Structures are given as structure tokens and as C-alpha cells.
Amino acid sequence: MILLVGNLDRDEFRAVRPALEACDRCLVAETPAQAIGLLQDARKRQPAGNPEPEWIVLAQAYPGQFPPHDLDRLRLLAPLAPVVVVEGPWSAGQWRAGRGLAGVHRVSWLDFPRHLADQWHRFRRGETRNAEWMLPATASEEERILLAAQSPLPRGQGPVIIGAARFDSYQWISTVCRYAGLATVWCRPGQQPRLDGHWAAVFDADETASPQSQWPQLRRLAASVQGGPVVVLLGQPRPEDCRHAHAAGATAVLNKPLAIDQLLAALQP
């Protein structure tokens, strides 16, 4: 059983419950107090069973929604369950400031479906390799990064055109691509690329400009690769930003900061 807590009517969390229910049965509550009551009732109904959740998932819409003392109370009822916090776009300040809940696994609402299936299967099979969500609550951020670094990076083929407003943005994306064996070309704002053959594209949205002003450039970039992968990098995007990006030709939208393996996987044809 998975315990899921939060307001699931919010647009960014609509996919969370279906994704979790594809893994296991869910016990759903809107607040930690309600979740505690449901768990206590389940114990009374099944005194000889095991109503303790295997995972606790918190859908956090904003910083401070789940105070530490509420999390402590949940952990008393399920001390062995990993706690995963799915962070909405308004939780960005807490994530960047490093003042999140202690001993939890944090993941953006946009990245959650991509991570879930792999992490759940590893959890159920008892695999520890690359199973970041199986780390104990006492694991440090450095230990999480070291575990993630063990994952092999996908290798690629073919060139990638990178749409970026600044050279330093192009440079770090190009470094990642070239490490995976992909040649790169920089496409500056306003350029109309003309490409032959099979290409992929990365569009790094400029955080100093509004997303709406950049969709025409994304459309031109997507049209130039003629059906190839188009990966858009956005800083803490909202659901409507993702919808507009897909309408403009994106095949994948990734949240910045991002993991290298996510970018390389999204560039696969």
C-alpha cells in the first residue's frame, strides 16, 4: 500500500494518483491529520494484518504545506516507509534554498512519472543499485548524488541543434551531448536553421524572458528537425507552460535543474 497525501485536484498533481495506482493500492488523504486517522482506522480493522504503507508520498503545492512535526507523526505509524515529496512549481524557492523536509526524497511534479516506475520496481525487487528512493532517511544529499552518479549514461547518435540565448547555456548542454557522442550546433535567437538528415533539438528557455515570447522560436526549431526529438528545458514550469511547449513542437519538457541522464534519454529517437 502507498499513502498519498495532498490536494490532488491541483493541475500539476492530476497524474500523481493514477501513476501510483498503477504500482499498488493507494490510501489517499488531503492532510496529514486525515492520513493519520485513516491509518489508525485501518489498524483497528486489520489488527492481525499489515496496514502499514510501504511508501509515503506527499504532494506539496507550496513550501511549508507539510510541517516537520506532521511528517514525524506519519513516520511513527510507518517508520520503515520511504517518504517521497512531489514538489509543485511553487515549491521552487524551498528547494533552491535547501530548507526542505529532512530525510525525504524530493522530485519535481514534472519528473515524478518518469522516476516512479523504475524506482518502484527496484523497491519491490529489493534492488539497491541506483535505487535512490530506497536510501534511509538519514542519507545526506551527497550520498544521494553519489548513488545517482552510478547510473550509466545513455549513448546517442547523430547531431543535436541547441537553441539557447547565451553561449554559456549552449556550452554546458553541448558538453553533455558531446560526452554521449553527439555533435552539436548552436542556434541563436532569431536564426532560421536549415538542416538535412536526422537531427534532434534542445531548446533552453531564457528565464529572463516570458515563455510566451519564446514559443515562435521553438516552433522554428522544432520544424527544422523534421520530426526528430525536441527537448525543452524550463525553470520550474507550470502545467500551462508544458502544454504550450508541446503545442509548439516539444516531444519532452524537462525541469531545470535537471539530471544529465534525463536529457540524454529524452534525446533518443
Side-chain angles (χ1 to χ4, degrees):
M1 177 183 68
I2 300 171
L3 175 63
L4 173 58
V5 186
N7 179 6
L8 305 181
D9 291 331
R10 296 181 64 92
D11 200 4
E12 63 265 34
F13 296 142
R14 292 189 187 278
V16 171
R17 181 173 182 174
L20 288 170
E21 288 181 334
C23 298
D24 202 353
R25 180 173 63 89
C26 288
L27 185 65
V28 181
E30 189 166 342
T31 65
Q34 184 183 18
I36 290 168
L38 291 174
L39 286 175
Q40 291 173 339
D41 289 344
R43 285 187 172 184
K44 292 176 183 177
R45 290 194 304 268
Q46 300 177 349
N50 183 23
E52 183 176 308
E54 294 183 281
W55 272 11
I56 298 173
V57 178
L58 306 179
Q60 180 177 272
Y62 53 87
Q65 180 181 359
F66 301 109
H69 62 82
D70 282 344
L71 178 57
D72 292 340
R73 294 174 65 200
L74 287 172
R75 279 184 164 141
L76 286 175
L77 295 174
L80 299 180
V83 180
V84 179
V85 177
V86 185
E87 297 182 323
W90 298 109
S91 290
Q94 182 178 6
W95 189 90
R96 289 173 176 169
R99 293 191 297 269
L101 293 167
V104 302
H105 309 289
R106 299 180 303 197
V107 59
S108 163
W109 68 274
L110 185 59
D111 301 328
F112 178 72
R114 282 191 288 267
H115 284 297
L116 173 62
D118 176 64
Q119 292 293 319
W120 177 257
H121 291 150
R122 292 180 188 278
F123 174 76
R124 294 306 297 264
R125 292 195 299 264
E127 296 181 9
T128 56
R129 180 176 174 82
N130 303 329
E132 181 184 350
W133 294 0
M134 285 182 63
L135 287 172
T138 55
S140 66
E141 194 66 24
E142 289 79 8
E143 290 172 315
R144 299 178 196 280
I145 293 172
L146 287 172
L147 180 64
Q150 297 176 10
S151 302
L153 293 177
R155 304 295 293 177
Q157 294 181 344
V160 178
I161 185 168
I162 300 171
R166 301 189 310 274
F167 178 73
D168 58 346
S169 297
Y170 161 75
Q171 198 169 33
W172 77 259
I173 300 170
S174 176
T175 300
V176 171
C177 293
R178 286 188 285 107
Y179 183 82
L182 300 168
T184 65
V185 172
W186 184 19
C187 179
R188 299 171 181 82
Q191 285 187 313
Q192 181 64 52
R194 299 182 182 275
L195 308 175
D196 294 321
H198 300 286
W199 286 70
V202 177
F203 182 79
D204 182 48
D206 185 358
E207 295 187 17
T208 65
S210 68
Q212 292 78 8
S213 67
Q214 301 179 74
W215 301 142
Q217 176 70 13
L218 173 58
R219 291 190 184 93
R220 290 192 292 270
L221 191 68
S224 71
V225 300
Q226 304 175 21
V230 180
V231 184
V232 175
L233 311 183
L234 288 170
Q236 298 299 328
R238 290 174 287 187
E240 56 267 30
D241 297 327
C242 297
R243 287 191 289 267
H244 287 306
H246 283 291
T251 57
V253 179
L254 300 182
N255 178 44
K256 296 187 289 188
L258 56 90
I260 291 174
D261 59 336
Q262 288 181 323
L263 174 59
L264 295 178
L267 286 171
Q268 300 297 314

